[in-house]
Amino acid sequence: MVVTRTRSPIRSSVGLKAVMAVTGIILVSFLIAHMLGNLKIFTGATSFDHYAHWLREIGTPLLPGVWFLWIMRIGLVVAAVGHIWAATALAVRARAARPVQYAHRKKVQGSYAARTMRWGGVIILLFVIYHILDLTTGTLNPVGDPSRPYANVVADFAPERWYVTLFYTLAVVTLGFHLRHGLFSALRSLGQQSPRGERRARAVALGFAVVLCAGYLAVPFAVLTGLVS
């Protein structure tokens, strides 16, 4: 008797796209919340420090100490790994379905943004590792005092540390390209495939990416120019 194995629904193309969508929503939601939290630095040191300390106390007394933060961090890691796994599996499957390269294949519109999905993930990953060592653990931060988050941020993006701001800018812009392409693809999958729908999807994706990038870059450039000190 021949036993046939049934592929898990999550490994199907539909399942992989669902994983991409769910994990993408989780990651984008975090990016929005994190950006809004960062912008509190414009309200002053006392307010920003209070916000940073409040993050460590979410869930208390139901949860001890910083348990909520660790639950959130683990959830983000799982979402990121799931997102990368699904994206890789879909890319490999698409390439396997078209093994022969066309001699004169036209470049698809948005190919530049699509290419950033390949190498952009590496830049973003390296930045996340640095960001954790810098502003989370304080290992690479000039102040590195968890009780003074405002001072940590100001010291991090000081004019003499312009290279940190440069790397931060590169990572954020790369993330913007990634989000623009990902959101545009998601909107097209939801039915925006007519010429008018594609124009609308492209405008929404670009607008969202620009706003998010501007929100993240506002903080380091405010410190660099002395607006925040």
Side-chain angles (χ1 to χ4, degrees):
M1 182 176 67
V2 178
V3 178
T4 57
R5 293 183 178 180
T6 303
R7 177 184 288 180
S8 171
I10 201 172
R11 292 180 178 272
S12 67
S13 294
V14 174
L16 290 171
K17 288 180 180 179
V19 171
M20 283 277 290
V22 172
T23 54
I25 290 172
I26 292 173
L27 294 171
V28 170
S29 298
F30 167 75
L31 287 172
I32 294 172
H34 190 48
M35 178 195 72
L36 294 175
N38 287 350
L39 292 176
K40 286 188 69 66
I41 199 167
F42 292 102
T43 62
T46 301
S47 178
F48 186 78
D49 286 350
H50 176 76
Y51 161 72
H53 294 315
W54 170 78
L55 287 177
R56 296 176 175 274
E57 298 171 356
I58 297 177
T60 56
L62 182 63
L63 296 174
V66 294
W67 275 35
F68 176 83
L69 274 180
W70 278 107
I71 292 172
M72 183 179 66
R73 288 166 180 166
I74 293 171
L76 289 172
V77 169
V78 171
V81 171
H83 197 74
I84 295 170
W85 167 73
T88 303
L90 285 170
V92 170
R93 191 168 297 176
R95 181 172 296 182
R98 190 184 57 201
V100 179
Q101 295 292 330
Y102 294 99
H104 301 286
R105 183 163 57 94
K106 291 177 64 179
K107 291 183 178 180
V108 296
Q109 193 169 15
S111 60
Y112 180 74
R115 286 196 295 272
T116 66
M117 305 290 277
R118 302 173 185 174
W119 53 262
V122 177
I123 295 177
I124 295 171
L125 176 61
L126 292 175
F127 170 73
V128 168
I129 294 173
Y130 176 83
H131 197 57
I132 290 173
L133 293 174
D134 182 18
L135 292 175
T136 301
T137 66
T139 306
L140 301 178
N141 189 273
V143 176
D145 186 350
S147 66
R148 301 169 61 202
Y150 184 93
N152 292 337
V153 173
V154 171
D156 193 36
F157 298 114
E160 62 271 17
R161 286 169 57 86
W162 58 266
Y163 49 89
V164 174
T165 301
L166 179 63
F167 182 39
Y168 189 94
T169 302
L170 174 63
V172 169
V173 172
T174 300
L175 177 63
F177 276 109
H178 192 92
L179 289 172
R180 174 184 174 273
H181 180 73
L183 182 56
F184 172 68
S185 299
L187 291 174
R188 288 187 76 249
S189 298
L190 291 174
Q192 299 294 332
Q193 297 181 8
S194 65
R196 182 178 180 182
E198 287 199 1
R199 287 195 299 271
R200 185 186 300 115
R202 185 170 285 106
V204 170
L206 177 61
F208 177 79
V210 168
V211 170
L212 200 73
C213 286
Y216 272 100
L217 293 178
V219 173
F221 280 96
V223 176
L224 184 67
T225 58
L227 183 62
V228 171
S229 60

